[in-house]
Amino acid sequence: GFLEDGILVQDVSRTRRRYLGSWTFSWDVLAVLPTELLCLLPGVPRVPGVPAARANRCLRVPRLFEAFDRCETRTGWPNVFRMAKLMLYLLLGIHWHSCLYFALSTHLGLGTDPWVCPSFSRLLRRYLHSFYFSTLVLATVGDTPAPQREEEFLFVTAGFLLAVLGFATITGNISTVIVNLSAADAAFYPDAGPVRRYLRARGVGGRLVGRVVRWHQHLREQRKLPAEREVLQHLPRGLQAEVAASVHLAALRRVGLFRSWEHGVLRQLVLRLRPQVFGPGEFVCRRGDVGREMYFIREGRLAVVAEDGVTQLAVLGEGLYFGEISLINIKGNTAGNRRTANILSIGYSDLFCLGKEDLAEVLAEFPCARAAMEAKGRELLLRMGRLDTGAEAAAMAAEAEAERRLRGLEEALEGLQTRAARLLAQLEASALRAALRVQRLEGRL
């Protein structure tokens, strides 16, 4: 097939017409012509398989490079493919050099001096000797017989120059592959080096440095990607939602709050969630801290601990959420926007984080979710003794009074708008009568 406006066209007739009208068709025809038959013409040496008669096969090289480029952009292991392609080029270069060496040895005479190829009886032995000799020359290892004639000196010198060029090319390709591997890791995983150097420069103990190193190791071993937004930032928003939903939607549906939500709503929500990983013994939030986000547990276990940081009051598992009490306005909450519990990660915990502004947008769009969160938060506050029922009743009464006053103001405003409309209509009618009266007076005059 071929690409048309970025879409793969696989219609056979259209593909045939496009191919026959392109320059590659004539190029391919020239590449497959049976030029070996020229050896059968009168006056041409009867040498079967002479390489010069098949030189037109080299016209296929552009198509080969095109196939390599397409395969490299579509394979899941591009760096491995580049290394394999580099090794292929290397072996092919040595093979061609050994063929030239054998041709020169044949021209000078096999076995006439130590430098040329010996006159072995087996063709395989001749090829292996030529390949070995070319490997030594192109690898600049040395340990080859000294050249005796001018042709031999020129051949060895040209081989050394090609070896220098080949080494530079190989070194450049290998360094490019290494840089690409490092860039790919940097795009997905944070680098632990700057943090470690900073802690050592500040004289921080090795225990904290070890925790930082283990956290980075856990990200790489478990393939956790905290920098997903940076990776997907160049995609259109709709495609971002598709990619993020395909990765996280199954885990998001395990959260009890989202099980009844529609698929389209979850696709939009998944763009607002930020994955975070907490290590063993690390506090996700502490009691009394200002709440700026809530968390959904994707993997791992977290403990609700007492003030001593050891006694476990409860254990939170996969599919639960917490932290919403300090973000939503529950009437009668004496803690305000402060955290009401200490949450400690038991092992490595993979969480979804939702910011305060994003949560406000979600709750504004979905009142049912807000009601469910407020009901759960009220239950927890009652259990902890942090819900002032009197203040809640007063707040509800004040809200009802405010609603009543607002409705009264709306009704009064509506009445004023009606009266203003009537007055405007009367004013327009009076102006029309005055204009008619003036017109009659002008007619009399």
Side-chain angles (χ1 to χ4, degrees):
F2 63 95
L3 294 178
E4 186 177 62
D5 297 331
I7 300 175
L8 181 63
V9 178
Q10 293 181 314
D11 183 73
V12 178
S13 60
R14 294 181 60 187
T15 304
R16 183 188 301 114
R17 288 195 301 270
R18 186 177 184 273
Y19 175 62
L20 294 177
S22 63
W23 65 269
T24 54
F25 172 70
S26 56
W27 204 262
D28 293 340
V29 170
L30 292 176
V32 299
L33 288 178
T35 52
E36 297 91 342
L37 299 178
L38 295 175
C39 298
L40 302 178
L41 296 176
V44 179
R46 301 298 193 273
V47 181
V50 59
R54 290 180 288 139
N56 62 321
R57 299 296 189 273
C58 295
L59 297 177
R60 300 285 291 178
V61 170
R63 303 302 298 270
L64 178 65
F65 289 158
E66 180 185 359
F68 281 167
D69 292 338
R70 292 191 179 186
C71 186
E72 183 176 335
T73 56
R74 286 163 174 78
T75 181
W77 305 89
N79 293 312
V80 175
F81 181 80
R82 290 172 192 150
M83 292 299 299
K85 185 172 65 174
L86 182 62
M87 294 301 299
L88 174 65
Y89 291 158
L90 183 62
L91 294 176
L92 189 61
I94 296 176
H95 166 74
W96 284 347
H97 189 271
S98 63
C99 292
L100 294 175
Y101 166 73
F102 182 76
L104 181 61
S105 300
T106 305
H107 175 72
L108 298 177
L110 297 176
T112 55
D113 60 53
W115 187 86
V116 298
C117 179
S119 57
F120 296 114
S121 59
R122 297 178 59 194
L123 184 61
L124 178 61
R125 188 65 180 272
R126 294 179 182 182
Y127 175 76
L128 292 178
H129 177 83
S130 302
F131 195 88
Y132 172 73
F133 181 88
S134 298
T135 304
L136 294 179
V137 172
L138 295 181
T140 64
V141 174
D143 197 21
T144 58
Q148 306 294 328
R149 311 177 193 181
E150 290 82 357
E151 297 89 342
E152 298 172 359
F153 277 107
L154 292 175
F155 187 84
V156 172
T157 303
F160 283 149
L161 293 177
L162 288 175
V164 172
L165 179 62
F167 268 116
T169 304
I170 292 172
T171 304
N173 279 275
I174 292 177
S175 62
T176 302
V177 170
I178 295 174
V179 169
N180 289 337
L181 289 174
S182 302
D185 287 343
F188 290 107
Y189 307 105
D191 186 11
V195 182
R196 294 169 60 183
R197 290 192 293 270
Y198 169 76
L199 294 176
R200 289 172 181 171
R202 294 296 182 180
V204 179
R207 182 178 179 182
L208 184 56
V209 175
R211 288 180 58 190
V212 172
V213 172
R214 287 192 297 272
W215 184 80
H216 284 87
Q217 290 177 349
H218 174 77
L219 292 184
R220 293 178 180 271
E221 291 174 359
Q222 301 298 322
R223 303 182 67 84
K224 305 296 183 182
L225 308 178
E228 289 187 356
R229 289 192 173 184
E230 290 75 8
V231 174
L232 304 177
Q233 62 181 345
H234 299 295
L235 296 177
R237 186 171 180 83
L239 192 55
Q240 284 186 29
E242 289 286 347
V243 174
S246 64
V247 175
H248 298 306
L249 196 59
L252 204 61
R253 287 193 179 278
R254 291 197 294 265
V255 179
L257 181 65
F258 303 138
R259 287 174 184 169
S260 59
W261 289 21
E262 298 179 359
H263 179 77
V265 176
L266 294 179
R267 281 182 51 195
Q268 296 300 320
L269 177 66
V270 77
L271 289 177
R272 297 186 172 103
L273 298 175
R274 299 190 306 272
Q276 290 187 359
V277 179
F278 292 88
E282 185 177 356
F283 278 93
V284 180
C285 60
R286 293 178 180 270
R287 183 176 179 179
D289 294 344
V290 177
R292 295 183 176 87
E293 58 270 320
M294 67 174 298
Y295 299 93
F296 304 91
I297 304 176
R298 180 185 180 186
E299 294 178 1
R301 294 186 306 152
L302 297 99
V304 182
V305 298
E307 294 298 331
D308 57 3
V310 178
T311 306
Q312 294 186 5
L313 305 178
V315 176
L316 306 178
E318 178 183 321
L320 300 179
Y321 61 94
F322 62 92
E324 78 283 0
I325 297 178
S326 58
L327 300 185
I328 56 180
N329 185 21
I330 300 178
K331 301 175 181 63
N333 183 10
T334 58
N337 62 344
R338 301 284 179 174
R339 298 292 189 189
T340 58
N342 300 312
I343 308 296
L344 180 71
S345 178
I346 298 177
Y348 282 98
S349 302
D350 191 0
L351 309 179
F352 284 129
C353 174
L354 183 63
K356 186 174 183 178
E357 294 78 9
D358 295 329
L359 178 63
E361 293 179 8
V362 172
L363 296 183
E365 295 175 1
F366 308 104
C368 296
R370 183 181 185 89
M373 282 190 177
E374 288 183 352
K376 179 194 173 186
R378 188 175 183 280
E379 180 182 352
L380 290 176
L381 290 175
L382 278 173
R383 193 182 307 165
M384 293 184 297
R386 289 182 170 271
L387 183 65
D388 189 350
T389 55
E392 181 184 15
M396 294 181 65
E399 184 178 356
E401 179 65 20
E403 285 288 338
R404 187 185 62 80
R405 291 184 178 182
L406 181 60
R407 286 195 298 269
L409 290 175
E410 289 176 351
E411 293 174 358
L413 179 60
E414 185 177 356
L416 290 175
Q417 289 177 346
T418 303
R419 292 179 61 185
R422 291 175 180 175
L423 291 175
L424 183 60
Q426 293 176 2
L427 179 61
E428 291 177 353
S430 300
L432 180 60
R433 288 195 299 269
L436 293 175
R437 186 177 180 183
V438 170
Q439 186 176 4
R440 287 195 301 270
L441 291 175
E442 288 178 349
R444 292 177 183 177
L445 290 177

